[in-house]
Amino acid sequence: DGGITQSPKYLFRKEGQNVTLSCEQNLNHDAMYWYRQDPGQGLRLIYYSQIVNDFQKGDIAEGYSVSREKKESFPLTVTSAQKNPTAFYLCASSMTPDPTPPQHFGDGTRLSIL
Amino acid sequence: RKEVEQDPGPFNVPEGATVAFNCTYSNSASQSFFWYRQDCRKEPKLLMSVYSSGNEDGRFTAQLNRASQYISLLIRDSKLSDSATYLCVDPTGTASKLTFGTGTRLQVTL
């Protein structure tokens, strides 16, 4: 089955630690996205990538970094500079980078501070 | 004013009822929107799109009112399985302009 796989499902971060969230898709989609969702809030865009080896900052990129070395993979690193990382992180993809919402989401990673 | 606003609810309705909720938007140039459904602690899933002509899919009807700048989602004959949070999305512009509402929670009860 085609889809988006995020791992791990739950992640705990210690103070001062960088952690990386994995996102893999086998849909052959060009565009990939990372969102953050806090309780009672909508999804906020962290980073997006429209093509391999290219990515752009979203609305809340500070404290995060990404890479897009392969079409199917778009890992997100939450750095120690992100002071409030506890949230639900969602990766998504869409077939094209047109102004169309992501059609497919992964099932998310819940990140918490130890 | 927020770019996309939704009443957070919850809307508590009995099974079989008809329920509707709205989403207001601020970008007058927006011509299409999307509704997503998100179950508790799960990822959002695309429910339906809505353009100026509206959209109907089974028990679900979405309408766009450009004059008053809101979209609506109507659910007829509510089922217990309809219980979820419904997010509206304004896709206007580039990816960085995608705007999600905070969602409206629907709880269908026996």
Side-chain angles (χ1 to χ4, degrees):
Chain A
D1 281 343
I4 301 177
T5 301
Q6 286 187 244
S7 62
K9 201 171 184 67
Y10 299 94
L11 185 59
F12 298 91
R13 196 191 88 169
K14 294 179 182 178
E15 291 288 338
Q17 186 182 41
N18 293 353
V19 292
T20 297
L21 284 59
S22 170
C23 178
E24 304 278 331
Q25 55 102 354
N26 60 3
L27 299 164
N28 201 34
H29 283 176
D30 285 322
M32 297 185 74
Y33 312 78
W34 273 106
Y35 290 92
R36 168 183 172 140
Q37 188 175 33
D38 294 280
Q41 296 196 35
L43 277 67
R44 292 184 290 166
L45 184 66
I46 304 172
Y47 268 99
Y48 65 102
S49 168
Q50 297 181 329
I51 197 168
V52 175
N53 292 322
D54 184 58
F55 49 83
Q56 306 294 329
K57 291 182 180 180
D59 297 322
I60 54 166
E62 186 174 348
Y64 300 96
S65 66
V66 294
S67 63
R68 186 91 186 274
E69 297 175 3
K70 297 185 296 183
K71 186 175 187 178
E72 59 269 24
S73 179
F74 191 41
L76 173 74
T77 296
V78 184
T79 74
S80 58
Q82 173 47 246
K83 298 306 179 188
N84 185 22
T86 298
F88 187 40
Y89 290 86
L90 287 158
C91 178
S93 72
S94 62
M95 191 176 298
T96 71
D98 283 345
T100 301
Q103 299 290 318
H104 299 264
F105 281 85
D107 56 8
T109 293
R110 292 197 178 274
L111 175 62
S112 301
I113 290 285
L114 278 178
Chain B
R1 182 183 175 183
K2 289 184 181 177
E3 292 177 282
V4 176
E5 279 196 83
Q6 295 183 255
D7 182 340
F11 283 61
N12 295 300
V13 301
E15 202 174 15
T18 295
V19 61
F21 27 83
N22 295 336
C23 169
T24 59
Y25 63 93
S26 60
N27 185 356
S28 58
S30 298
Q31 299 186 42
S32 65
F33 294 83
F34 296 81
W35 283 103
Y36 276 78
R37 171 202 169 114
Q38 185 174 25
D39 293 295
C40 189
R41 304 177 75 84
K42 299 281 190 180
E43 75 277 19
K45 293 185 179 176
L46 185 64
L47 180 65
M48 61 196 310
S49 57
V50 53
Y51 301 93
S52 56
S53 56
N55 193 3
E56 185 172 331
D57 183 4
R59 298 183 292 109
F60 296 81
T61 301
Q63 297 282 349
L64 168 59
N65 185 318
R66 295 195 67 195
S68 300
Q69 293 189 210
Y70 72 89
I71 62 171
S72 62
L73 180 66
L74 178 80
I75 305 174
R76 289 180 295 276
D77 188 23
S78 299
K79 311 289 185 193
L80 293 174
S81 57
D82 293 334
S83 298
T85 297
Y86 292 83
L87 308 171
C88 70
V89 180
D90 179 355
T92 304
T94 63
S96 63
K97 297 289 187 185
L98 293 173
T99 305
F100 283 79
T102 55
T104 295
R105 194 156 68 89
L106 172 66
Q107 185 67 50
V108 181
T109 57
L110 287 171

